[in-house]
Amino acid sequence: MNIVLLGAPGAGKGTQAALLVEEFGTPHISTGDILRAAVKEQSELGLKAKGYMDAGNLVPDELIIDLMRERFQQPDTAKGVILDGFPRTTTQAVALDTMMAELERPLDAALLIDVEPEVIINRLCSRRMCKECGYIGTAADASCPKCGGEMYQRDDDNEATVRNRLDVYATSTSPLIDYYRGCNKLVVVDGDRDPKEVYVDVKAGLGL
Ligand code: ADP
Ligand code: ZN
């Protein structure tokens, strides 16, 4: 399967991707995770991306498209990909179509995890991540329920940045919903429920 996960920040893309990976083993490619790793390593990409990320703005299309072009060169992508956080602009979506056409691996679906903005603000401000395994939890998790690792809050999960990320989503990313509807690839699931219930719809929507 080659799928794109669409939805506002905090809609649950990473959580659903983790469930898909666990069951199907398809590589999960999260541009946010790749960029955060680059920032941590202080690589050239990380140094360029950090300011945009801390403000909740988009990293320039050229950087992201180059990054993804490189990622698609890795052999693991041949068995399919779950794209999370890419594409985020129409320019990126068009670039993705070109890349997939070149690789002769057409996209199967764009799955929109639909959640209202008010729900998102609460979710993101209480979101915590595991330093060791990347598990996505909440402020109620004193340590990681999966591996016991230390939980931390992402630098961009504060209210001011979250509000900007939601504005950026509405302006730059939500047009992709119509883009994928127009090519008959859009599948919509209600994301405002327990992750396990959402996952049932995700699989049904993808025909898995
Ligand atoms: P979320 O979906 O929770 O907002 P991500 O982890 O996907 O967060 O991304 C974090 C940040 O990384 C974004 O706010 C943005 O600055 C940058 N980023 C990630 N993916 C892209 C992309 N495809 N295009 C531009 N910027 C991106
Ligand atoms: Zn963990």
Side-chain angles (χ1 to χ4, degrees):
M1 76 180 122
N2 288 293
I3 61 168
V4 165
L5 297 179
L6 284 180
K13 301 185 294 290
T15 302
Q16 295 303 316
L19 293 168
L20 287 167
V21 171
E22 202 174 319
E23 186 167 348
F24 301 98
T26 313
H28 169 212
I29 303 177
S30 157
T31 43
D33 288 350
I34 297 172
L35 291 169
R36 277 185 290 281
V39 168
K40 209 168 156 193
E41 282 168 17
Q42 300 188 299
S43 68
E44 202 186 323
L45 171 69
L47 294 174
K48 284 186 189 153
K50 187 174 177 2
Y52 298 102
M53 294 172 71
D54 284 346
N57 292 323
L58 294 181
V59 173
D61 284 333
E62 314 80 67
L63 284 180
I64 299 288
I65 292 167
D66 284 352
L67 167 88
M68 288 304 295
R69 195 175 285 286
E70 238 171 73
R71 184 62 185 83
F72 271 109
Q73 300 304 312
Q74 307 278 323
D76 65 331
T77 60
K79 57 181 171 185
V81 289
I82 300 166
L83 300 177
D84 169 4
F86 175 84
R88 243 182 169 89
T89 62
T90 307
T91 306
Q92 292 179 19
V94 172
L96 174 63
D97 283 344
T98 309
M99 283 186 239
M100 301 298 267
E102 279 167 13
L103 293 165
E104 297 182 47
R105 294 179 206 157
L107 201 66
D108 299 304
L111 183 92
L112 171 65
I113 306 177
D114 201 17
V115 181
E116 296 299 317
E118 307 86 83
V119 176
I120 302 268
I121 293 180
N122 287 327
R123 272 194 193 178
L124 288 183
C125 293
S126 65
R127 178 163 75 176
R128 300 291 183 275
M129 326 273 287
C130 173
K131 269 191 179 161
E132 304 304 322
C133 75
Y135 172 81
I136 305 165
T138 71
D141 297 310
S143 58
C144 173
K146 277 209 143 167
C147 77
E150 192 186 328
M151 302 294 283
Y152 75 101
Q153 183 172 34
R154 265 172 52 174
D155 292 342
D156 59 352
D157 280 349
N158 63 76
E159 189 168 342
T161 307
V162 165
R163 288 192 186 278
N164 188 45
R165 282 155 65 200
L166 286 172
D167 285 346
V168 169
Y169 175 77
T171 308
S172 303
T173 308
S174 69
L176 295 183
I177 298 170
D178 281 335
Y179 180 89
Y180 287 115
R181 190 183 282 122
C183 47
N184 272 321
K185 297 245 160 104
L186 187 73
V187 177
V188 184
V189 299
D190 173 8
D192 189 9
R193 290 170 303 151
D194 181 85
K196 297 232 156 63
E197 289 173 42
V198 177
Y199 187 56
V200 171
D201 284 2
V202 165
K203 284 203 288 184
L206 296 175
L208 297 169

